[in-house]
Amino acid sequence: MASVTSLSDSVQQHLASALSAALPEAAGADPLLRRSDRADYQANGILALAKKAKANPRELATQVVAGIVTGEVIADVEVSGPGFLNITVADKAITENLAARYADDTGRLGVPYAAHPGTTVIDYAQPNVAKEMHVGHLRSAVIGDAMVRLLEFTGENVVRRHHIGDWGTQFGMLIQYLDEHPHELDHKESEVSGEEAMSNLDRLYKTARRLFDSDEEFKTRARRRVVDLQAGDPKTLAIWQKFVDESKIYFFSVFDKLDMEVRDPDIVGESGYNDMLAETCRLLEESGVAVRSEGALCVFFDDIKGPEGNPVPLIVQKSDGGYGYAATDLSAIRDRVFNLKATTLLYVVDARQALHFRMVFETARRAGWLNDDVTAVQLAFGTVLGKDGKPFKTREGETVKLENLLDEAVERATAVVREKAEKVGLTEDEIVENGRYVGVGAVKYADLSTSAVRDYKFDLDQMVSLNGDTSVYLQYAYARIQSILRKAGEARPAAHPELALAPAERALGLHLDQFAETVLEVAAAREPHKMAAYLYQLASLLTTFYDQCPVLKADSPAQVENRLFLVDLTARTLHEGMALLGIRTPGKL
C-alpha cells in the first residue's frame, strides 16, 4: 500500500494554493503550518510574506481565506491577530485519514519511506573483552539499538558495528597466564552461562593481575606476549581467541537480558582493523596530513589547544611504533567508507570522547576519506547518575554492573505486574514474562525519553511507576485497549466518517495523524527522545478519551465501531512506536 498523505500535508496544499492565488510571487512559499491550542492548526507564514511584498498582513490573510475551499478537508478558517490563520479540519477528513492508515496491510500505518535513503554504519554497544559490562555501557546499547530500528523502518540500509575492545597490552598478561594454566577456561560453550563466563574471566583476570604486579619474570614474559600477539603468532592468537569467545558468551547473555539482538558477524572489534594500521599511517604521512613529532606520527589542529595554549595533536602512531585508538578509528573509517560504501557513519559514543572524534573526523576529512558524499556524526550521550545527582555507583563506591541493574529492574517490575495479575487473569509464566518486558522497558524508556546529550538520574521507583512519563504507563495504555477489544463481543472496529467527533476524539485522531512525520523526523534528526515524547502524549490523550468517551457503551452501534476503530489504531501506533524504541507491549497487564 502507498503511504498516506497526512492531514497537515493536505491542509498545507490547500493553503499553498490559496496563497499563490492571492500573491503570485509567493508560489511555493511555506505557510508555516503547526499544531495549535487555538484551533487544529495555525499558519504563521503570511506575516513574513506580507512584509516582503510590502502588503498589510491582515488584509493578505483575509484574501487567502477567501480563496480557501472549505468542506472536505478544511471545515473553517479564521484570521487571528496581525495575520495568523486558525484552521479547523473537518471531522470527516480526520476519520478518513485514520481509516487509510488503519487499512495499511504492510503494518507501516501509512508511514512513507525516507525520500533519499542511504547506507548508515552505526557503531554502538561496545563492551570490552574480559571485562564486565557496567552501567556506562547502557546508553550506547539502548540508544544505538533504537536508532538501528528507526533508520531501518524509514528504508535506510543499516550496517551494525560493535567495535569491542579486544586488543591491547592487557592481553599479554591474560594470554601468558592462560598459557601457563591451560585448563582455566576448559569447557564447551554450551555448558557455560553468561554469568559463569564472566565469573571465569573475572577470576582469571584478577589472578593474572596479582601475578603481573608481584612477579617481575612473569611481567617480562607477559610483555613479550604483546609483541607475539601483534606479530600474529598462531599459538598466541589461539589463546587470545579463547578470551574473545568466552567474553562473547557473556556479552550475548547481557544483550539478551536487554532484549536486544546482537549478531556475531556485526562484532568487529579493534583487532578487525589490525592489518590496516600500517597502511593508514603511511597514507596519512605521505599525504602530509600527519607529520612526525618527537618520533610519533601526529596530526595538528590550529583550533585545538591544551590548557597552556599549546597545540594538542591526535597521535596516530606512538614513538615506540605502537598504534593508539586513533589509528584504529581511522582505519575503521576507511573500511566503512570504501568497503561498506557508507554514506553516513554514526557513532553512539559517550560525550566525553567528543574531542577525540572531532579530531578523528577532521583527519579523515583532510585525507579525503570523508567528503560531501559521506557524513560522520557522533551521537554523543551523557552520564547515568544516581538519585544524588552524582555518577551512578554502588554503596561501596563501585561502578554498577549492568546485569545486576537489569535484574533489579525486572524484579521490581514483576512485583508491580503481580499486584494486578489476578484481576486480569495472568498465569505465573505470563507474570514472569511480562515482568521482564516491563522491567527492561522501564530502563530503556527512562534512557530514551531523555535527550541523549543530557545526563539523567537512574531511579527505579520512578521507572516502574504506573503514573507519569514511564514505559509502564504506555504499556498499560496498550493493554487496556486490548482488554476493551476482548470485551467488545461481536462489535468490530470500523471507521464511520459520517459521524461527528467529540473534542477528545478529535485530539486523539489529530495526534495519531502525526505518527508518520514524527517517525521520519526522529530518524533524520537522530533524536529518539522525541518518539518517546510523542508516545507519552498519545497515551495521555488516550486517557482523556477514556474519561470522556465511553467505547462499548457509546450512543449507537456505529459510534461503538468508530471508537473501537480509534482505540485499535491507537494500540497499533503505541505498539509500533514502542517497538521502534526496542520496547515490548504485552497484551495483558
Side-chain angles (χ1 to χ4, degrees), residues 239-542:
I239 300 173
W240 166 82
Q241 190 64 51
K242 274 193 168 187
F243 283 105
V244 174
D245 292 342
E246 191 86 4
S247 295
K248 282 182 178 179
I249 297 169
Y250 165 67
F251 295 159
F252 288 133
S253 75
V254 177
F255 289 128
D256 184 59
K257 280 191 176 185
L258 260 177
D259 202 13
M260 249 180 73
E261 181 192 38
V262 170
R263 304 175 302 210
D264 196 56
D266 301 329
I267 298 175
V268 183
E270 294 166 355
S271 62
Y273 307 101
N274 202 42
D275 293 343
M276 298 176 68
L277 301 180
E279 186 182 21
T280 294
C281 291
R282 180 180 62 77
L283 291 169
L284 290 172
E285 190 167 14
E286 287 179 358
S287 63
V289 172
V291 295
R292 292 284 168 185
S293 176
E294 298 179 19
L297 187 63
C298 304
V299 182
F300 289 92
F301 308 88
D302 292 336
D303 58 339
I304 300 175
K305 300 279 198 296
E308 296 177 6
N310 300 320
V312 176
L314 181 71
I315 300 173
V316 185
Q317 188 178 25
K318 302 169 191 172
S319 56
D320 64 2
Y323 300 104
Y325 290 124
T328 307
D329 288 333
L330 288 162
S331 298
I333 287 176
R334 287 176 54 217
D335 176 61
R336 294 166 184 185
V337 172
F338 299 112
N339 295 333
L340 300 178
K341 309 298 181 189
T343 49
T344 302
L345 305 177
L346 184 58
Y347 293 78
V348 187
V349 183
D350 191 315
R352 288 171 291 189
Q353 294 189 46
L355 178 60
H356 170 77
F357 278 100
R358 182 179 152 201
M359 293 195 288
V360 165
F361 294 161
E362 174 59 20
T363 299
R365 189 192 63 76
R366 291 181 190 178
W369 306 333
L370 296 176
N371 52 43
D372 292 342
D373 298 323
V374 187
T375 307
V377 182
Q378 182 192 0
L379 203 174
F381 56 82
T383 305
V384 181
L385 307 174
K387 289 184 185 180
D388 59 2
K390 297 175 182 176
F392 197 21
K393 304 277 186 183
T394 64
R395 286 178 183 173
E396 293 75 33
E398 295 176 6
T399 305
V400 178
K401 296 175 183 179
L402 183 52
E403 209 166 10
N404 293 353
L405 180 149
L406 294 172
D407 287 344
E408 188 179 350
V410 169
E411 189 180 317
R412 296 273 193 98
T414 304
V416 172
V417 173
R418 194 177 294 281
E419 280 178 26
K420 294 181 177 285
E422 191 175 334
K423 187 178 178 183
V424 293
L426 291 179
T427 66
E428 183 60 28
D429 285 348
E430 286 173 327
I431 292 170
V432 171
E433 183 180 72
N434 290 355
R436 182 188 171 211
Y437 293 155
V438 171
V440 173
V443 171
K444 287 184 175 183
Y445 187 85
D447 196 310
L448 293 168
S449 60
T450 306
S451 173
V453 76
R454 289 177 53 199
D455 300 340
Y456 78 94
K457 291 182 182 179
F458 194 93
D459 182 349
L460 267 180
D461 293 328
Q462 175 56 31
M463 287 179 189
V464 298
S465 170
L466 297 175
N467 302 310
D469 188 3
T470 66
S471 69
V472 193
Y473 177 64
L474 273 61
Q475 287 167 323
Y476 267 99
Y478 176 82
R480 194 175 185 183
I481 294 172
Q482 299 310 311
S483 175
I484 288 175
L485 294 172
R486 286 192 295 271
K487 292 174 183 174
E490 293 181 9
R492 291 287 175 268
H496 286 273
E498 74 279 4
L499 292 178
L501 298 176
E505 290 176 296
R506 290 177 55 80
L508 184 60
L510 287 165
H511 194 68
L512 285 167
D513 174 64
Q514 289 182 280
F515 181 63
E517 63 187 88
T518 301
V519 170
L520 295 179
E521 285 173 7
V522 164
R526 308 177 190 99
E527 294 179 323
H529 70 281
K530 291 186 176 176
M531 175 54 70
Y534 169 87
L535 294 171
Y536 174 61
Q537 191 177 352
L538 180 61
S540 301
L541 289 167
L542 182 71

Side-chain angles (χ1 to χ4, degrees), residues 522-582:
V522 164
R526 308 177 190 99
E527 294 179 323
H529 70 281
K530 291 186 176 176
M531 175 54 70
Y534 169 87
L535 294 171
Y536 174 61
Q537 191 177 352
L538 180 61
S540 301
L541 289 167
L542 182 71
T543 300
T544 304
F545 168 84
Y546 280 139
D547 293 343
Q548 298 178 9
C549 304
V551 178
L552 300 180
K553 294 181 180 179
D555 293 341
S556 68
Q559 195 174 54
V560 170
E561 290 177 349
N562 200 56
R563 287 180 176 172
L564 282 172
F565 147 72
L566 259 179
V567 295
D568 195 15
L569 181 59
T570 301
R572 293 183 189 187
T573 306
L574 278 169
H575 175 79
E576 190 57 59
M578 293 285 267
L580 290 173
L581 297 179

Side-chain angles (χ1 to χ4, degrees), residues 36 38-39 41-43 76-80 84-88:
S36 169
R38 307 216 170 166
Y41 295 98
Q42 188 174 82
D76 185 48
V77 190
E78 63 173 22
V79 179
S80 170
F84 302 129
L85 296 184
N86 287 340
I87 300 145
T88 302

Side-chain angles (χ1 to χ4, degrees), residues 43-52 55 57-58 60-61 80-85:
N44 301 337
I46 287 174
L47 275 73
L49 291 170
K51 186 177 181 181
K52 195 173 179 182
R58 193 170 173 90
L60 178 58
S80 170
F84 302 129
L85 296 184

